[in-house]
Amino acid sequence: MPEGNFQSRWLAPGVDDVWNQFLTVTHRLEHQIDRRLQDNHGITHTQYEILVRLADAPKHALRMSDLAERIVTAKSAVTYQIGKLADMGLVERHKCESDNRGVWVKLTDAGRERLEKAAPCILSLVRELFLDAITCDQADELNKLLETWAGNLDRIERGA
């Protein structure tokens, strides 16, 4: 931890409230989506996102490292989730022919079917828990904020 006045590094009360509310709301949204997907379709939100990324990829396949990057998580977490999805028959793993360390993940027909059945659940949840609660103007403002944060993260991750 850098030296200096620790107290001066705390967030101001109003800003602290915004940050805590942001964390609480995002965690609660994730929990609701996760719970409903598990109850209705037997998969987690992370597993759903993996299936979506594979469905959108050429030949419905991605290298494990590319998949981890696209869902913004650690490779070990993707490996764990892919193991669960493979056990359910929703994806298949294949060694990369050009790189013995690489692994390809491919969406199976069963995975595509599960995704197609779960998609309406996600869409209704996005509407019910998120979009129906805000106006079009609020959605535009939120989008501007998200673009600002994404740009800041891009700059930091590029090391600029």
Side-chain angles (χ1 to χ4, degrees):
M1 178 182 291
E3 292 185 34
N5 181 353
F6 182 76
Q7 191 65 27
S8 69
R9 289 192 296 273
W10 288 105
L11 297 174
V15 176
D16 187 51
D17 293 343
V18 170
W19 176 245
N20 285 320
Q21 184 76 336
F22 174 81
L23 290 176
T24 300
V25 167
T26 56
H27 290 306
R28 289 177 65 197
L29 280 168
E30 181 67 27
H31 175 74
Q32 286 293 320
I33 292 168
D34 214 39
R35 185 174 56 90
R36 293 202 198 171
L37 275 172
Q38 288 182 47
D39 290 350
N40 296 319
H41 301 285
I43 57 174
T44 66
H45 190 206
T46 301
Q47 292 166 344
Y48 175 84
E49 188 175 352
I50 288 169
L51 297 178
V52 168
R53 303 294 183 194
L54 292 172
D56 290 343
K59 298 182 182 179
H60 306 297
L62 287 168
R63 283 181 63 121
M64 192 85 80
S65 57
D66 293 333
L67 185 56
E69 188 175 301
R70 289 184 189 192
I71 66 167
V72 191
T73 194
K75 290 178 189 174
S76 60
V78 171
T79 300
Y80 174 79
Q81 294 297 338
I82 292 301
K84 295 285 192 185
L85 290 168
D87 290 346
M88 290 185 266
L90 305 180
V91 300
E92 297 172 340
R93 288 177 282 204
H94 304 280
K95 284 276 187 196
C96 179
E97 293 176 14
S98 62
D99 178 5
N100 286 336
R101 296 173 300 163
V103 175
W104 282 88
V105 181
K106 182 171 178 34
L107 185 66
T108 64
D109 290 341
R112 190 173 305 109
E113 287 175 25
R114 182 79 58 100
L115 178 60
E116 289 172 1
K117 288 179 181 173
C121 177
I122 286 285
L123 294 174
S124 69
L125 281 169
V126 167
R127 285 186 188 98
E128 174 191 348
L129 301 175
F130 191 73
L131 294 175
D132 289 350
I134 61 176
T135 66
C136 290
D137 287 343
Q138 288 172 317
D140 288 342
E141 187 61 32
L142 179 57
N143 191 49
K144 289 175 189 170
L145 289 169
L146 293 169
E147 287 173 354
T148 299
W149 291 326
N152 189 48
L153 289 167
D154 290 345
R155 182 182 52 76
I156 290 167
E157 290 169 358
R158 284 191 314 265

